[in-house]
Amino acid sequence: MADLYDSDEEELTIENDAVLTKYKTAGEISNLVLKAIINEIVVGASVIEICSFGDKMILDETAKHYKKDKNLKKGIAFPTCISINEVACHFSPLRSDPVTFVKENDLVKIELGVHIDGYAAVLGHTVSVGATLDSPVTGASADVVLAAHYCAEAALRLIKAGNKNDQVTDAIKKISDSYKCTPIEGMLSYQLKRYQTEADTDKQIVLNPTEAQKKDTKNVEFAVHEVYAMDVFITSGSGKTKELDVTTTVHRRTDENYQLKMKASRAFYSEVCNRFTLMPFTLRAFEEETKARMGLKECVTHELLQQYPVQQDADGKSVAQFKFTILIVPNGNIRINGGLLDTSLFKSENSIEDKEVLDLLAQSTNRKAGGKKKKEKRPTATLR
């Protein structure tokens, strides 16, 4: 990352007011974009048009900030992805791909990311098309959405200085079991750093660890001034996923070095470095898709770029996702985006009855101020 900033210089954290402000600004923009995208998700809407709308809005909104600093990078930290029903993540089609349209009762997952100067706010949300108070979502779709939502809410209350990652994993298992659902196997939540939106760190939270992850994942403690991307995926299936047979469109530059042979590859890679730094991007961002595809192949072959294949539930079951960015501060934490679900649109026959989990979810998410904490209404028995 030497081409982005001096890697020998100690990285600033959110203890620095300027860094904190950049994270918060990115978070505010991500929520603004998410709300606009939710309004675009209607019956008959084209997925590619929604993705393009989201990406354009991120660029338009970030352009309004830090105008005087011409060298400051800002924009997309993760391209807009719209994944429907059993498709779990990373679906962000190209103009040349078959058109996918939104249908009534679809369970639609929205994922995106915004960064200011490399400080990223990543975000994921699930909506059910056509859900109303008079006609709420029921059955397995309601189960996965409510389970994912309450798992995210539990994580919000647990990611604090002094707590450990296995506490989050345990809570997620209890909640998903309550709704007869399963976390997607192997999915990671992780510490974020500047220009780093991936789990290139030992500080990880595994939703549903594989056997290998049970051996390799370290039990770590959260610390003040750390930033985390909390990403929850829940399915009514077994928790297994497989790659969907569609074009992989989302990629990210790695730290590998290789002297590319093809002129098209060199031109493509140069544009990637200049425009996207180390942030994930979509091939849709390139004006000439055919040329981009030509340049992409050699870059992927020699591991200059990491791919994000589209994943789907192996059992064909619907998947729900909630993702947010959280800052750990001395008196608690700050969720800078997410938290937009209206739970009244979902009705489940299952519920959380574990007292320890209910007590956790009853905790206020307001930070302490002057030794006082604003009281939140406590659930009387169960959460449905």
Side-chain angles (χ1 to χ4, degrees):
M1 283 188 260
D3 56 333
L4 299 174
Y5 59 92
D6 186 355
S7 58
D8 293 329
E9 184 178 324
E10 185 176 352
E11 183 173 339
L12 296 175
T13 70
I14 57 171
E15 186 176 17
N16 178 281
D17 286 342
V19 172
L20 180 62
T21 299
K22 288 171 183 176
Y23 270 118
K24 286 184 172 181
T25 302
E28 290 167 3
I29 294 172
S30 66
N31 257 8
L32 183 69
V33 175
L34 174 61
K35 290 174 184 178
I37 290 175
I38 290 172
N39 290 332
E40 297 294 314
I41 297 177
V42 295
V43 174
S46 160
V47 168
I48 187 172
E49 295 301 334
I50 298 171
C51 291
S52 299
F53 170 86
D55 288 350
K56 183 179 185 302
M57 188 171 178
I58 292 173
L59 295 175
D60 288 347
E61 291 299 323
T62 53
K64 298 175 183 178
H65 298 267
Y66 296 92
K67 291 182 179 180
K68 293 182 179 179
D69 190 345
K70 303 301 182 183
N71 295 320
L72 185 144
K73 300 283 188 180
K74 56 193 175 183
I76 297 170
F78 201 91
T80 306
C81 296
I82 301 293
S83 304
I84 298 176
N85 297 330
E86 73 276 8
V87 180
C89 55
H90 306 156
F91 190 74
S92 193
L94 306 178
R95 295 285 175 190
S96 58
D97 290 333
V99 180
T100 301
F101 295 101
V102 175
K103 301 187 296 295
E104 186 78 12
N105 300 321
D106 274 348
L107 207 60
V108 181
K109 291 161 290 296
I110 308 160
E111 187 171 13
L112 59 91
V114 176
H115 83 94
I116 301 290
D117 197 23
Y119 300 105
V122 290
L123 178 61
H125 185 77
T126 300
V127 298
S128 180
V129 180
T132 64
L133 290 174
D134 293 331
S135 181
V137 180
T138 59
S141 292
D143 290 336
V144 294
V145 171
L146 290 173
H149 166 72
Y150 286 120
C151 283
E153 290 299 308
L156 172 63
R157 289 157 174 79
L158 287 169
I159 301 176
K160 296 180 180 179
N163 286 349
K164 294 186 176 181
N165 54 348
D166 61 350
Q167 293 176 255
V168 181
T169 302
D170 291 345
I172 285 173
K173 184 179 188 313
K174 287 180 180 179
I175 293 169
S176 55
D177 285 349
S178 296
Y179 287 95
K180 297 180 172 58
C181 295
T182 312
I184 293 291
E185 189 177 75
M187 285 289 186
L188 296 175
S189 297
Y190 43 83
Q191 184 182 6
L192 288 173
K193 293 186 178 181
R194 191 182 182 205
Y195 285 110
Q196 181 178 302
T197 57
E198 285 301 302
D200 301 328
T201 170
D202 287 336
K203 292 214 161 183
Q204 302 173 355
I205 304 162
V206 189
L207 297 190
N208 180 8
T210 62
E211 289 304 315
Q213 286 173 327
K214 288 177 182 178
K215 296 176 183 177
D216 297 338
T217 303
K218 296 180 179 179
N219 189 18
V220 295
E221 187 174 292
F222 304 121
V224 173
H225 301 138
E226 291 179 341
V227 180
Y228 284 85
M230 186 64 218
D231 198 2
V232 177
F233 284 92
I234 302 292
T235 174
S236 56
S238 65
K240 304 284 185 182
T241 60
K242 62 181 180 180
E243 289 187 18
L244 184 63
D245 186 19
V246 295
T247 306
T248 296
T249 63
V250 180
H251 300 77
R252 178 181 74 109
R253 180 181 151 203
T254 70
D255 289 328
E256 295 295 321
N257 291 302
Y258 177 77
Q259 187 61 46
L260 294 164
K261 303 295 189 293
M262 294 175 56
K263 182 179 179 181
S265 302
R266 294 194 297 272
F268 170 78
Y269 188 65
S270 176
E271 187 170 351
V272 168
C273 295
N274 290 332
R275 290 179 60 192
F276 308 112
T277 61
L278 292 176
M279 297 297 180
F281 63 91
T282 170
L283 290 180
R284 195 176 53 252
F286 292 81
E287 288 187 12
E288 297 186 63
E289 182 186 312
T290 302
K291 282 188 176 180
R293 284 176 178 269
M294 287 175 58
L296 173 71
K297 186 175 180 180
E298 189 181 6
C299 293
V300 170
T301 299
H302 295 285
E303 300 181 347
L304 294 180
L305 297 177
Q306 171 190 333
Q307 294 184 299
Y308 290 77
V310 180
Q311 299 289 332
Q312 67 174 344
D313 183 86
D315 304 313
K317 303 294 186 180
S318 288
V319 178
Q321 177 197 22
F322 290 99
K323 182 178 186 178
F324 61 90
T325 305
I326 183 170
L327 317 180
I328 301 178
V329 292
N331 56 345
N333 61 40
I334 306 170
R335 173 167 58 184
I336 60 172
N337 54 14
L340 300 180
L341 182 71
D342 181 356
T343 56
S344 64
L345 298 176
F346 301 87
K347 301 296 181 184
S348 173
E349 295 181 357
N350 300 303
S351 61
I352 300 170
E353 297 181 352
D354 184 288
K355 184 179 183 304
E356 187 177 334
V357 173
L358 289 171
D359 287 345
L360 174 66
L361 292 171
Q363 292 176 14
S364 171
T365 56
N366 295 305
R367 288 182 293 146
K368 293 178 182 179
K372 295 183 179 180
K373 183 183 284 187
K374 184 179 177 181
K375 290 185 178 180
E376 234 180 40
K377 187 176 179 181
R378 178 191 174 95
T380 54
T382 62
L383 289 170
R384 292 187 182 276

